[in-house]
Amino acid sequence: MAVESAVRSVGGRRLAELVTGVAGQRPGYRALAQGVRTLLLDGRIALRTRLPAEREFAGSLGVSRATVTAAYDLLRESGYAHSRRGAGTWTELPAGERPVSVATPAAGDGVIDLAIAAPGALADELSAAYAAAAPDVARHAVTPGYHPYGLPELRAAIAERYTRRGLPTIPDQILVTSGAQQAVSLTLTLLGRPGDRIVVENPSYANALAVIRQLGLRAAPVPVTEDGWDAELFGATLRQAAPRLAYLIPDFQNPTGRVMPREQRRRLIAGARATGTWLVVDETVADIALDVPTPPPFASLAPHGGGEQIVTVGSLSKGHWSGLRVGWVRAGTRLITELTTLRVTADMSGSVLDQLVAGRLLAREADILGRRLPVLRAQRDLLTASLGREFPDWRWQLPPSRNPSPTRRCATASSTASPKSSP
């Protein structure tokens, strides 16, 4: 089978919508080629995607076919596309190029990569957890080491964590994954089919949106503004689009930092139940609430334990260390079994050592976060002071606190910034 036949394509109308957002409504051929390159590098078009035929794309853009032909020629010459007679034109990357979604180490001392929203670990706590886990490694070393569902003791610890926070959970409702990204990917792959509608916040987490595009799901965006979510619009989208799925970040939303009000959560749960929509709730940022209590689990607000269609994703990345690559899914037992069956085809199971360390960290989570959160608060304060000093014409929205004020409304390390002249 040719490589091209195994990959996806993008239609002329869809590509026209994307490219005019970065190249203008009537782009010349150079602007059009640059627009396609931008979409490819930032992940909005996947590698090895078949581009629309020249005539179709020109009609969708409202430009001459010669403009599209020249743009495709320029893409091929610069290494961003290749063509084969009878097979069409396909996206690719020149040697040495990589999409911006692929993180790389900082260029040198003093360089801070603002694209990575994950703090470093407390080195002494992490070292102590590895040392404490060492005796358990010997116990597991005599076994094959495959635990597709996750280590039983870690599943129990995560379940107890949810129960303690107000969402009764048993270990059979937990699947340990290789980070939250795998948890999101597995869930959307299992529950969605190409062409299914999925409600997403706009803006939202870029890597989750990339998975949605790769799976061929049709996104129905609902804005998250400086004032938060529009409850009426969200409800109307559920009723009118009847989506199969909705992907949400209600706790310190990425990237806006907003927190969804409790009553709005209840209304959203009721609306999703009425339309049969699965809610995939990403709570990976909830652990680093700096100035307000950590919100209760979203699914705990479902009436009478009616959270069967709520899938919760979490991880240790924000509160402890993303280098562990330990995340999880909390869902009904049947769905957990189906997710695990799918997971086995991806990586069999996670690292035993990392899971042992994760269990040690969770056992001391209150103490660790008690040390970690003051450090993050100080770093946040330094960041806001530096922004005010270095960029006096900028304004930024920070997550809510108990005592909001015009200049300090921060609850997590997440924030958005823009020039004051922007909307």
Side-chain angles (χ1 to χ4, degrees):
M1 177 183 295
V3 171
E4 286 88 346
S5 65
V7 298
R8 59 177 298 180
S9 61
V10 58
R13 181 178 300 179
R14 178 56 179 158
L15 183 56
E17 293 173 351
L18 292 170
V19 80
T20 53
V22 296
Q25 291 300 313
R26 293 296 296 270
Y29 79 96
R30 290 188 180 276
L32 182 56
Q34 180 58 48
V36 173
R37 284 196 295 267
T38 298
L39 295 171
L40 178 60
L41 289 172
D42 72 11
R44 281 179 281 178
I45 299 177
L47 288 173
R48 295 185 297 278
T49 293
R50 184 167 57 191
L51 297 173
E54 294 174 3
R55 188 182 303 276
E56 176 195 356
F57 194 23
S60 298
L61 282 168
V63 301
S64 69
R65 182 177 177 180
T67 298
V68 175
T69 299
Y72 280 11
D73 286 343
L74 188 55
L75 288 169
R76 284 188 288 267
E77 292 169 6
S78 56
Y80 287 90
H82 73 280
S83 298
R84 197 178 68 187
R85 185 177 297 276
T89 300
W90 304 76
T91 60
E92 66 179 9
L93 286 177
E97 284 280 9
R98 57 170 62 90
V100 296
S101 58
V102 179
T104 55
D109 293 340
V111 176
I112 301 173
D113 188 348
L114 296 179
I116 300 177
L122 293 176
D124 56 343
E125 295 286 358
L126 189 63
S127 298
Y130 270 99
D136 294 330
V137 175
R139 174 168 55 88
H140 284 275
V142 297
T143 73
Y146 290 129
H147 298 274
Y149 288 91
L151 288 181
E153 55 265 45
L154 181 56
R155 297 176 75 199
I158 296 170
E160 171 57 28
R161 187 176 186 260
Y162 277 112
T163 300
R164 191 168 59 248
R165 294 180 55 215
L167 179 60
T169 302
I170 61 174
D172 285 349
Q173 291 178 278
I174 301 296
L175 166 64
V176 180
T177 59
S178 297
Q181 182 68 14
Q182 185 186 52
V184 170
S185 181
L186 288 173
T187 301
L188 297 184
T189 300
L190 179 67
L191 297 178
R193 295 291 182 271
D196 283 349
R197 287 195 177 276
I198 177 170
V199 174
V200 296
E201 299 155 333
N202 182 25
S204 187
Y205 178 46
N207 288 332
L209 296 178
V211 172
I212 289 169
R213 288 191 295 269
Q214 290 165 7
L215 293 176
L217 302 176
R218 292 187 296 164
V222 177
V224 180
T225 68
E226 294 179 357
D227 298 320
W229 292 257
D230 185 327
E232 295 300 327
L233 180 57
F234 223 121
T237 302
L238 288 175
R239 292 189 300 271
Q240 295 169 11
R244 169 74 173 166
L245 296 153
Y247 171 73
L248 311 170
I249 311 175
D251 301 329
F252 314 116
Q253 198 265 353
N254 185 350
T256 68
R258 300 294 91 190
V259 176
M260 184 180 290
R262 178 182 289 257
E263 183 54 36
Q264 190 168 349
R265 298 179 189 222
R266 294 186 189 278
R267 292 173 62 182
L268 184 52
I269 290 171
R273 291 185 68 189
T275 57
T277 301
W278 285 91
L279 297 179
V280 182
V281 182
D282 189 336
E283 297 182 345
T284 57
V285 192
D287 295 341
I288 52 173
L290 300 187
D291 297 319
V292 295
T294 298
F298 187 96
S300 67
L301 300 180
H304 311 299
E308 296 87 356
Q309 285 191 263
I310 301 177
V311 181
T312 305
V313 171
S315 83
L316 294 183
S317 292
K318 308 305 185 205
H320 297 277
W321 187 41
S322 59
L324 280 176
R325 307 311 307 141
V326 173
W328 55 80
V329 179
R330 191 268 182 198
T333 56
R334 179 176 177 179
L335 186 65
I336 289 297
T337 298
E338 294 175 354
L339 286 169
T340 304
T341 302
L342 179 61
R343 185 263 177 87
V344 167
T345 67
D347 66 350
M348 297 296 290
S349 79
S351 161
V352 170
L353 176 58
D354 284 355
Q355 291 182 72
L356 290 171
V357 171
R360 297 288 181 170
L361 292 173
L362 285 179
R364 300 195 60 250
E365 185 172 38
D367 292 339
I368 293 173
L369 290 180
R371 293 182 55 203
R372 184 174 187 77
L373 295 184
V375 173
L376 294 179
R377 290 188 192 101
Q379 291 173 339
R380 173 205 59 193
D381 294 344
L382 178 60
L383 173 61
T384 56
S386 298
L387 283 173
R389 181 178 63 253
E390 302 295 336
F391 302 101
D393 294 332
W394 284 27
R395 66 178 177 87
W396 51 88
Q397 282 290 323
L398 300 174
S401 67
R402 285 196 183 102
N403 300 301
S405 68
T407 57
R408 296 182 62 81
R409 294 187 291 171
C410 194
T412 75
S414 173
S415 66
T416 58
S418 62
K420 286 184 176 180
S421 58
S422 65

